[in-house]
Structure formats: structure tokens, C-alpha cells
Amino acid sequence: MFLSQQDELEFSMGPENETAVTEFILEGFPELDPRLQVFFSLVLLLMYLTTVMGNATILVCVDHHLQTPMYFFISNLAFLEIWFTSSTSIKLFVMLSSGQNTLSLRSCFAQNYFYFAMGCTEFMLLVVMSFDRYVAICQPLLYAAIMKPQLCVRLVVAAWVLSFALLSYRLLFLSELSFCGSKIPHFLCDNSPLFKLSCSDTSLLWKIDSVFISCVVLGSLCLTLAFYICILFCVLHLPAASGRKKALTTCSSHLITLSIAYGSCIALYTRPAEAVSLSTNRIVALLNTVLYPFLNPFIYSLRNKPVILALSKSIARARTKLFP
């Protein structure tokens, strides 16, 4: 039996279209003027370097001077933020500054996996940190008995291990997908644009992702808000007005960063796939991958007097060693 010329063409192109994709092209922000892209890349580089240097400074100061549960959690958050923002910002800077926007399949899948695994870890750490603040403010006499070093280590290890282990299913599913296109209208390998390029049936992966991410985001949000509401009630009953003002200022700054992190994730990942706009996806993702990590060192640590004091001591010791 002989195939027609059109049938032969479809037969030869079908499998090739599904298997020929060996790398993806991240389109980034093609609507921006080239000069504006260069300017944006410089701003991004400045924010990235500030984020990395700020979190690295926190790691050095906290590890050597502030041995308390609160600063142990802050140091883990700082370590996480360095890797989280690096997984997306470096590639975005290269794309905007040099136009190198290709990414291999393995690199794309790895970025997707680490992006969601580290995001899940961060939400768990935020719950742990809010619980730590709740015990410190609402149960100060029991703080030392509850927040023992062993418990703190176990909570942090559980956040890291559970997140990376539970999200390992993504690598298995992604490796089984075949793709009919290579252009991703985004600056990272996010779910929506990646799945829409697939020739395979992604409905199961969409459902698993929606349920899992919704549980992580909304579950951690409810727990975090519950602890902060309890903190608010405790603060309002403080006898000293200065103590109430200080606590409310700290909580309000924390809630601002939390609103950026949770708001962006809820907008991106807790809606049906059909409701996801790729153009909106890119803009909101910038809040989650660039702005939020940039603000964290200032909100959680560099506005904290013990951290500033520890930083001053570190600088003084460094000056003494360099100029004895």
C-alpha cells in the first residue's frame, strides 16, 4: 500500500516534530526596545548583586554572632534566596544583555524543578519563622523550652527535604513529555508556557500541579496568617506603647513581603490553566523571582538592630585584620 505525497510528508514530520526539539528559546520580553532591554538588564544586575551580597552578609553575621532560633531561620532563608534568585535572574540578565536565549531541555527541566522546589521550601520556612515569632511574643516564658536547637534543625531539614523530595515527580513527568515547539514566551521555564508546547497529554500533570501547589501555597498562607493574627492580639495587649509600635512595625513589614510572595503565586498557580495569561504571567513572575528576594534582606534582617550590630562588629574585625 502506497502513501500519498501529503501523507508521506505528515508521517515523516509528525515524529520529528515531537522528538526534534533539543533546546528551548526563551523569548523573554521581545516587546521591549533594545535600549530599554539593556537598561532593564543593568537594573536587574544591580538588584541581583544587592540580593546576593545582602543575603551573604546575613549568613556571615548570623552564623558567627547571633546563635538564636530566629536568626538560624533567617540564615536559612538567606541561603535559599541566593539560590532561588540565581536560578532565574542570571539567565534573564544574559538574555537581556547579550541575546543568548537558548536553553537545553535538561537545563529547562532543572530550572523548572529547582524553581518550584525552592519556592515550596521558602513557604515552609516562612511558616516556621512565623511560628517562632508567635512563641517568642505570645509565649516568651516557654520560648527556650519549645524552640530547642534540635527542634529548629529538624524543622529546617524537614522543609528542605520534603520540598525537594515531593517535587521530584516533576522530573519524571517532564522527562516523558514530547514537544512540538521550542519558543517559550517567558523568561523562565514556567509551567503554563512549557506545558502548552507539549504534544503529549499534560492534563494529569496540570491537575497534580494545581492540587499540590494550591495546597502548599494556600496551606502555608493560612498557617502564617493564623500565627500573625495571634501575634497581633498579643501585641495589642502589651502594656508599653513603644513595644506595641515596634512589634506592629515589624509585623507590617513582614506582611508586605508576604503579600508579594503569596499574591504572585496565587495569581500564577492557583487558577485554571485556561485563565493564565502568558503576558501577565511574565510580569507577575518578576515580582516573585526578582523583587521579593531583593526586599527580603532589608525586611527580615538589615532593619534588625542585632543584625546591624553584628555586621558592625564583623566590619570592625575585618578592618583590624587588614590594618592592624
Side-chain angles (χ1 to χ4, degrees):
M1 180 177 181
F2 295 96
L3 296 174
S4 66
Q5 185 177 1
Q6 183 177 359
D7 290 337
E8 288 179 352
L9 182 61
E10 292 177 355
F11 179 80
S12 61
M13 289 183 63
E16 289 180 2
N17 281 341
E18 293 185 5
T19 60
V21 177
T22 59
E23 63 181 15
F24 292 111
I25 300 174
L26 298 174
E27 294 185 346
F29 300 90
E31 67 276 7
L32 293 180
D33 183 81
R35 294 182 180 180
L36 191 58
Q37 288 195 19
V38 173
F39 174 75
F40 184 35
S41 67
L42 295 177
V43 174
L44 176 68
L45 178 62
L46 179 62
M47 294 180 69
Y48 172 72
L49 293 177
T50 303
T51 302
V52 172
M53 292 176 62
N55 284 302
T57 302
I58 292 168
L59 282 173
V60 173
C61 295
V62 168
D63 286 346
H64 290 84
H65 299 284
L66 302 173
Q67 301 295 330
T68 63
M70 174 184 175
Y71 298 108
F72 173 70
F73 298 136
I74 287 178
S75 66
N76 274 272
L77 184 64
F79 178 76
L80 175 68
E81 291 294 357
I82 292 175
W83 293 104
F84 180 73
T85 189
S86 297
S87 66
T88 56
S89 295
I90 294 178
K91 183 59 181 178
L92 178 57
F93 171 73
V94 172
M95 289 168 52
L96 293 173
S97 59
S98 65
Q100 298 180 7
N101 56 353
T102 59
L103 201 64
S104 67
L105 262 69
R106 291 184 178 181
S107 299
C108 182
F109 296 163
Q111 185 190 63
N112 182 279
Y113 169 69
F114 283 108
Y115 171 74
F116 283 99
M118 288 188 288
C120 181
T121 304
E122 181 158 353
F123 286 133
M124 291 187 181
L125 286 177
L126 291 176
V127 173
V128 172
M129 292 173 66
S130 62
F131 172 71
D132 173 75
R133 291 299 82 206
Y134 162 74
V135 177
I137 296 175
C138 301
Q139 305 289 337
L141 298 179
L142 300 176
Y143 184 77
I146 296 175
M147 302 304 296
K148 294 181 179 179
Q150 297 87 345
L151 176 63
C152 297
V153 172
R154 289 172 183 173
L155 289 173
V156 169
V157 170
W160 282 90
V161 173
L162 283 176
S163 299
F164 279 81
L166 291 176
L167 279 160
S168 60
Y169 76 88
R170 301 186 63 81
L171 293 176
L172 298 176
F173 277 98
L174 290 174
S175 63
E176 297 297 325
L177 296 180
S178 56
F179 297 90
C180 298
S182 60
K183 291 186 178 180
I184 299 178
H186 209 303
F187 63 88
L188 59 89
C189 292
D190 203 357
N191 278 356
S192 180
L194 186 60
F195 293 171
K196 288 181 179 180
L197 290 178
S198 177
C199 305
S200 308
D201 182 13
T202 59
S203 58
L204 178 60
L205 187 53
W206 270 115
K207 292 177 182 178
I208 295 175
D209 270 356
S210 299
V211 172
F212 182 81
I213 295 175
S214 297
C215 288
V216 171
V217 174
L218 298 179
S220 62
L221 175 61
C222 292
L223 289 173
T224 302
L225 288 180
F227 287 128
Y228 272 102
I229 291 173
C230 293
I231 291 172
L232 179 62
F233 281 112
C234 292
V235 167
L236 293 177
H237 288 85
L238 290 177
S242 59
R244 289 198 301 269
K245 183 178 179 180
K246 180 180 178 181
L248 289 174
T249 302
T250 302
C251 290
S252 62
S253 61
H254 289 186
L255 291 175
I256 291 173
T257 59
L258 290 175
S259 64
I260 296 175
Y262 282 104
S264 60
C265 287
I266 290 173
L268 291 175
Y269 305 117
T270 60
R271 297 183 298 169
E274 296 77 12
V276 177
S277 170
L278 294 180
S279 58
T280 304
N281 190 312
R282 290 180 302 177
I283 297 174
V284 177
L286 282 175
L287 301 178
N288 194 32
T289 59
V290 178
L291 182 61
Y292 175 70
F294 173 76
L295 293 176
N296 262 354
F298 300 97
I299 297 298
Y300 282 101
S301 305
L302 297 182
R303 292 178 70 252
N304 194 300
K305 289 184 178 180
V307 173
I308 297 297
L309 182 60
L311 178 60
S312 302
K313 290 181 179 179
S314 299
I315 295 175
R317 291 186 179 182
R319 287 179 178 177
T320 304
K321 291 180 180 180
L322 293 175
F323 307 102

